[in-house]
């Protein structure tokens, strides 16, 4: 909180009377040592990043943010302007503010409900409540914009489960709309709202069909104004009336006098309208907009302050702290203030008042970078997330793959929950061991089950043949699926050891199944038919063919080419090198990926490739060159400054690790690769150990990207790997940086 002692409160508490001019704009008066001041929430809102600029608190359920357009049903193109998070940089109009959002995903969802504001006659259709805008500003916990035609200033802030919106009108009567039907969801178009005599309201919006998957969920809400409206009513099918409830393509309108200032508090819930009302009372009642925005900013300062960097430029710090900010949005809070939540897989309502439930587990993405980052820097939060995963496993009889609002959307492939759980248990970040031990038989059985429709698609072929064949039905990218299952099986073996249980020997052996897809003629992973023959013709640069959609992956692969999966045996690098011609040949082929432009920073499969060089003596400088090039070319301060969909913080977490100079390239591994730090010094607060760890790497010049020596505190020289145990013990890593290797 000390960094916020100097925060200027430029808007007086309370409200301005009718006819009074709006107050001067809110301006953050950041303390000199603030790190939150470097965050730019607009980064990633252009291009394919699919982030949103509106406020959210770390891991918050509510995230109010502007909508510029509705998504096109069926358009999966990552850079196709889906408005997956509701906002696309450069769109000319804002059409209200949704109160729930997903960050960086490839398909639209949530965005419910929508609060819009206008002047004059009540107009409830999407186009009519759109407005040109100017003067956007955003920082952690705050967003504001001037809506030009109605001459209304809108401000947003957030709590864990709620949002506060403040509007200043300088033209005409001020009308606030709550649209329950025009969400971002492809399952939208339906909702319910009811009004009370005091002007408060509650209801729900239907959401679902994430990436056309069969999930459905309601976002419940409860709201009240801090001053009573002059009049109010509802609408159905864009026909306003004075009715106090409405269903379907519906919403509510609230009218306030000209030149009014209006403050609206709304809370959300995935359980019930009563739950939303309880969240509203607990988090927003009795608090002004300014108190709430300052609390949100303080929460971000505290969270981001676990990493403090020195050196570099202000732009470097902006990219870094914005990446850390984006990495602390998901997974998100799912339970209400009383601990209520929807059980995974449709099992009804559960209650755990002692532990929060989380959702939005984009695990195929996040197991690689995001969860290792949380494990290191935010272990208390990661522990509760793993608790959520373990309880979901027990509730549904199988672990989640891609979980959203208590539903399995199973968008991607593999069995990634095994990796996240194993890594946390090994590092003693998971909840009590008894819960993991209780879930172990379920995890193991889910990996062994070969029945049709079982947890792992293609598992019968995988277990019988040692690979999923290209002829298997219902499997997206059988090569990618095989490689992902092998890594998950490696993690299950690590988990069994950590828990002191016996793993099925056949399951443990499957960690080497990647070997069955190494094509001796190309030394690449290549699809095989059920009879064992190799797929022909084989184009290792094909990016299309796995699905009808563009860039779904070459035949046999998921969202990538054979080259972008060519080194995906990260738990067994030495054996993979031996199987593909030896160390020198492996390093040469890996280098060719970067020299030929085949390395893709925009997607997950090859994110760890720059760090594989650290497994080979004398090759670490290649990691330095590849990481430095990716950092500078793929991440910028522009609004299109992310290399692809941020995927719930996955790309951002890659950047955080890669700027610090360490990287978790082995899933559920014991150590980190030592990369090339961007800053002269970084201090990491490690709450699990109650200590800090310093990465000290003075750069004689900006071109000093090469690590020429590494020394652990106490004088022990390191090659290009550092153990988790060494890092978590506290101390310092001293790196000597040079312009050549």
């Amino acid at each position: 909180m000390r960094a916020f002692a100097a925060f200027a409160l430029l808007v007086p508490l309370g409200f301005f009377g009718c006819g009074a001019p709006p107050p001067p704009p809110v301006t953050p008066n950041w303390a000199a040592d603030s790190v939150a001041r470097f965050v730019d929430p607009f980064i990633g809102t252009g291009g394919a990043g699919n982030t949103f600029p509106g406020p959210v608190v770390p891991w918050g359920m509510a995230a109010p943010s502007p909508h510029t357009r509705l998504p096109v049903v069926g358009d999966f193109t990552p850079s196709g302007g889906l408005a997956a998070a509701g906002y696309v940089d450069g769109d000319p109009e804002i059409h209200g503010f949704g109160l729930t959002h997903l960050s960086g995903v490839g398909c639209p969802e949530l965005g419910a409900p929508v609060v819009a504001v206008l002047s004059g006659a009540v107009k409830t259709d999407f186009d009519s409540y759109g407005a040109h805008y100017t003067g956007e500003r955003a920082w952690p916990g705050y967003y504001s914009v001037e809506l030009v035609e109605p001459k209304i200033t809108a401000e947003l802030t957030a709590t864990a489960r709620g949002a506060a919106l403040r509007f200043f009108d300088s033209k005409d009567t001020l009308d606030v709309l709550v649209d329950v039907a025009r969400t971002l969801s492809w399952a939208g178009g339906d909702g319910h709202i009811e009004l009370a005599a005091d002007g408060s309201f509650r209801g729900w919006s239907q959401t679902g069909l994430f990436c056309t998957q069969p999930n459905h969920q309601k976002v419940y809400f409860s709201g009240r104004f801090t001053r009573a409206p002059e009049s109010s009513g509802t609408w159905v099918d864009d026909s306003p009336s004075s009715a106090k409830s409405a269903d379907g393509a519906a919403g509510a309108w609230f009218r306030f006098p000209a030149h009014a200032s209006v403050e609206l508090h709304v809370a959300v819930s995935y359980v019930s309208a009563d739950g939303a009302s309880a969240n509203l009372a607990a988090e927003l009642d009795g608090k002004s907009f300014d108190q709430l925005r300052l609390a949100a900013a303080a929460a971000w300062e505290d969270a981001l302050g676990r990493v403090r960097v020195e050196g570099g430029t202000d732009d470097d710090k902006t990219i870094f702290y914005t990446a850390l900010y984006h990495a602390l949005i998901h997974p998100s809070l799912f339970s209400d203030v009383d601990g209520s939540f929807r059980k995974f897989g449709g099992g009804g309502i559960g209650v755990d008042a002692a532990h929060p439930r989380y959702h939005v587990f984009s695990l195929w993405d996040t197991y690689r970078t995001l969860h290792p980052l949380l494990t290191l820097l935010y272990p208390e939060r990661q522990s509760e997330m793993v608790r959520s995963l373990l309880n979901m496993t027990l509730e549904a009889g199988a672990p989640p793959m891609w979980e959203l609002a208590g539903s399995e959307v199973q968008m991607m492939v593999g069995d990634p929950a095994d990796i996240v759980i194993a890594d946390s248990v090994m590092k003693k970040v998971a909840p009590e061991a008894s819960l993991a031990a209780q879930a172990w038989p379920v995890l193991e059985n889910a990996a062994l089950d070969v029945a049709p429709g079982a947890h792992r698609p293609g598992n019968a072929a995988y277990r019988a043949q040692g690979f999923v064949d290209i002829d298997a039905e219902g499997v997206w990218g059988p090569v990618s699926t095989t490689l992902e299952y092998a890594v998950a099986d490696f993690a299950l073996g690590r988990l069994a050891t950590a828990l002191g249980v016996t793993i099925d020997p056949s399951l443990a052996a499957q960690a080497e199944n990647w070997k069955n897809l190494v094509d001796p003629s190309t030394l690449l992973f290549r699809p095989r038919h059920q009879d064992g023959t190799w797929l022909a013709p084989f184009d290792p640069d094909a990016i299309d063919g796995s699905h009808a959609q563009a860039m779904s992956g070459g035949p046999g692969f998921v969202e990538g080419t054979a080259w972008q999966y060519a080194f995906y045996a990260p738990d067994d690098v030495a054996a993979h090198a031996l199987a593909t011609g030896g160390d020198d040949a492996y390093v040469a082929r890996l280098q060719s990926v970067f020299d030929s432009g085949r390395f893709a920073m925009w997607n997950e499969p090859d994110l760890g490739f720059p760090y594989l060089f650290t497994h080979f003596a004398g090759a670490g400088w290649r990691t330095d060159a590849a990481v430095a090039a990716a950092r500078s070319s793929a991440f910028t301060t522009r609004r299109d400054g992310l290399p692809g969909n941020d995927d719930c913080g996955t790309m951002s977490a890659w950047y955080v690790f890669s700027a610090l100079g360490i990287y978790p390239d082995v899933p559920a591994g014991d150590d980190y690769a030592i990369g090339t730090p961007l800053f002269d010094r970084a201090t990491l607060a490690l709450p699990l150990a109650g200590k800090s760890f310093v990465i000290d790497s003075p750069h004689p010049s900006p071109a000093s990207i090469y690590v020429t020596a590494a020394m652990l505190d106490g004088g022990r020289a390191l090659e290009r790997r550092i153990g988790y145990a060494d890092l978590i013990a506290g101390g310092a890593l001293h790196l000597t940086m040079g312009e050549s290797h």
Side-chain angles (χ1 to χ4, degrees):
M1 292 291 289
R2 63 186 173 86
F4 285 83
F7 236 104
L9 190 61
L10 297 186
V11 178
L13 303 182
F15 297 94
F16 293 85
C18 294
V26 173
T27 303
N29 186 13
W30 299 107
D33 62 348
S34 168
V35 295
R37 67 191 172 99
F38 290 107
V39 173
D40 181 357
F42 289 107
I43 293 176
T45 61
N50 286 349
T51 62
F52 58 83
V56 62
V57 298
W59 306 286
M61 178 188 298
S65 190
H67 289 178
T68 60
R69 69 172 84 162
L70 290 175
V72 177
V73 176
D75 184 354
F76 283 80
T77 306
S79 59
L82 277 172
Y87 180 99
V88 176
D89 178 56
D91 278 2
E93 292 186 338
I94 284 176
H95 298 258
F97 308 93
L99 302 188
T100 52
H101 292 90
L102 300 179
S103 180
V105 298
C107 295
E109 177 61 295
L110 299 180
V114 175
V115 176
V117 61
L118 66 160
S119 292
V122 174
K123 296 169 288 187
T124 64
D125 63 283
F126 181 79
D127 289 334
S128 293
Y129 65 65
H132 289 87
Y133 59 98
T134 187
E136 282 186 296
R137 297 179 304 139
W139 56 79
Y142 180 80
Y143 170 90
S144 70
V145 65
E146 298 172 27
L147 303 177
V148 176
E149 178 54 30
K151 294 185 179 179
I152 294 172
T153 298
E155 297 178 294
L156 314 178
T157 192
T159 68
R161 300 172 179 86
L165 303 92
R166 183 164 59 182
F167 306 114
F168 299 105
D169 174 67
S170 61
K171 180 181 179 182
D172 203 338
T173 56
L174 188 151
D175 297 310
V176 178
L177 309 180
V178 180
D179 192 332
V180 302
R182 292 187 183 94
T183 69
L184 300 177
S185 172
W186 286 339
D190 187 26
H192 168 78
I193 192 164
E194 57 191 60
L195 282 56
D198 62 357
S200 62
F201 59 89
R202 51 193 253 158
W204 53 265
S205 294
Q206 180 66 56
T207 60
L209 297 183
F210 178 61
C211 289
T212 73
Q213 298 302 301
N215 65 297
H216 284 82
Q217 62 275 328
K218 291 178 178 178
V219 177
Y220 296 89
F221 57 85
S222 179
R224 63 173 61 97
F225 297 92
T226 52
R227 62 187 296 172
E230 288 185 336
S231 57
S232 61
T234 60
W235 77 79
V236 177
D237 296 329
D238 294 322
S239 296
S241 74
S242 59
K244 298 304 180 185
S245 67
D247 295 276
W253 57 270
F254 305 87
R255 170 153 291 182
F256 297 86
H259 310 300
S261 63
V262 174
E263 190 169 318
L264 170 62
H265 294 175
V266 189
V268 295
S269 166
Y270 289 93
V271 175
S272 66
D274 286 342
S277 294
N279 294 341
L280 179 66
E283 295 186 1
L284 292 104
D285 277 4
K287 300 180 179 70
S288 72
F289 181 93
D290 294 293
Q291 290 170 325
L292 294 168
R293 71 170 175 86
L294 290 173
W300 277 113
E301 188 68 45
D302 182 62
L304 297 169
R306 291 205 180 173
V307 183
R308 293 193 172 270
V309 298
E310 302 171 37
T313 66
D314 281 355
D315 280 355
D316 293 335
K317 292 185 177 72
T318 292
I319 297 170
F320 177 81
Y321 281 109
T322 302
L324 185 56
Y325 169 86
H326 282 141
L328 305 186
I329 294 175
H330 298 307
S332 301
L333 188 64
F334 189 50
S335 52
D336 292 340
V337 290
D338 68 350
S340 298
F341 57 88
R342 291 203 170 271
K343 291 183 178 180
F344 182 53
I349 305 301
V351 180
D352 186 348
H355 303 285
R357 173 65 69 103
Y358 289 86
H359 80 130
V360 192
F361 284 95
S362 175
L363 295 167
W364 181 86
D365 308 288
T366 57
Y367 84 78
R368 306 165 198 268
T369 60
L370 180 70
H371 283 289
L373 183 69
L374 299 179
T375 295
L376 179 64
L377 296 176
Y378 306 90
E380 74 286 6
R381 194 74 63 157
Q382 173 69 5
S383 177
E384 295 296 356
M385 292 173 183
V386 172
R387 182 187 301 277
S388 295
L389 290 176
L390 292 170
N391 280 319
M392 288 177 189
T393 299
L394 295 170
E395 290 161 7
M401 289 186 174
W402 208 126
E403 180 274 344
L404 171 63
S407 295
E408 176 59 75
V409 297
Q410 200 165 339
M411 266 307 301
M412 303 306 292
V413 300
D415 205 354
D418 296 341
I419 302 168
V420 175
I421 293 168
D423 190 56
S424 292
V425 171
M426 289 168 47
K427 293 179 170 63
K428 296 181 171 53
V429 168
E432 59 273 8
S434 59
L435 182 59
Q438 185 182 357
W440 167 256
V442 182
L443 295 170
E444 185 180 44
N445 290 338
L448 294 170
D449 191 355
V450 297
H455 173 64
R456 288 186 173 187
N459 204 33
Y462 176 76
R463 286 186 51 70
Q465 303 168 172
F467 62 93
V468 184
D469 57 82
I470 193 73
D471 307 307
E473 295 184 1
V475 180
W476 178 17
V479 175
S480 301
T481 297
T482 298
L483 301 179
E484 294 285 355
Y485 286 166
V487 174
D489 291 336
F490 164 77
L492 285 174
R494 304 280 282 172
L495 178 59
T497 299
L499 293 175
V501 298
T502 301
I503 189 172
D504 185 288
S506 67
L507 187 59
Q510 289 176 175
E512 297 186 358
N513 275 356
W514 58 267
K515 295 179 179 179
N516 299 319
L517 291 179
V518 175
D519 171 23
S521 68
T522 63
L523 300 182
L524 299 173
F525 296 119
R526 180 174 177 177
R528 296 178 72 176
H529 291 288
Q530 189 174 25
D531 64 6
T533 59
W534 299 103
L535 175 71
F538 173 55
D539 178 3
D541 287 309
I543 190 65
D544 296 314
S546 272
H547 273 344
Q549 72 185 81
M551 301 183 71
S552 60
F557 295 90
V558 173
E559 294 185 357
T561 69
W563 275 109
Q564 287 155 10
Y565 279 91
F567 300 89
Y568 200 72
D571 55 292
D572 211 357
V573 173
H576 189 198
L578 183 63
T580 54
D583 291 1
D584 291 345
Y586 181 101
V587 169
R589 282 187 5 269
L590 179 58
Q591 184 63 51
S592 76
V593 170
F594 299 96
D595 294 342
S596 63
R598 289 185 169 99
F599 174 66
M601 191 65 238
W602 53 265
N603 208 13
E604 280 73 8
D606 59 358
L607 288 185
F609 284 12
Y611 293 94
L612 295 179
F613 294 113
T614 65
H615 293 268
F616 302 92
W621 66 270
R622 300 176 187 270
T623 288
D624 301 337
V627 170
R631 278 192 320 228
S632 61
S633 64
F635 297 84
T636 73
T637 59
R638 299 191 307 264
R639 292 194 174 194
D640 63 352
L642 290 176
N645 297 162
D646 199 33
D647 288 327
C648 299
T650 298
M651 296 296 173
S652 289
W654 183 95
Y655 187 87
V656 171
F657 273 123
S658 296
L660 292 176
I662 56 174
Y663 189 82
D665 61 325
V666 180
D670 295 319
D671 63 0
Y672 302 83
I674 296 176
T676 174
L678 178 63
F679 301 100
D680 292 343
R681 185 180 178 91
T683 302
L684 316 181
L686 305 176
L688 187 66
K691 299 178 181 179
S692 63
F693 189 84
V694 173
I695 300 172
D696 182 48
S697 53
H699 290 61
S701 74
S704 302
I705 65 169
Y706 295 102
V707 176
T708 60
M711 188 76 67
L712 194 64
D713 218 20
R716 178 156 58 96
L718 301 177
E719 291 299 325
R720 295 303 297 263
R721 315 286 303 180
I722 180 170
Y724 172 77
D726 288 328
L727 197 155
I728 205 69
L733 173 65
H734 303 278
L735 302 177
T736 303
M737 308 298 296
E739 294 186 6
S740 63
H741 58 85

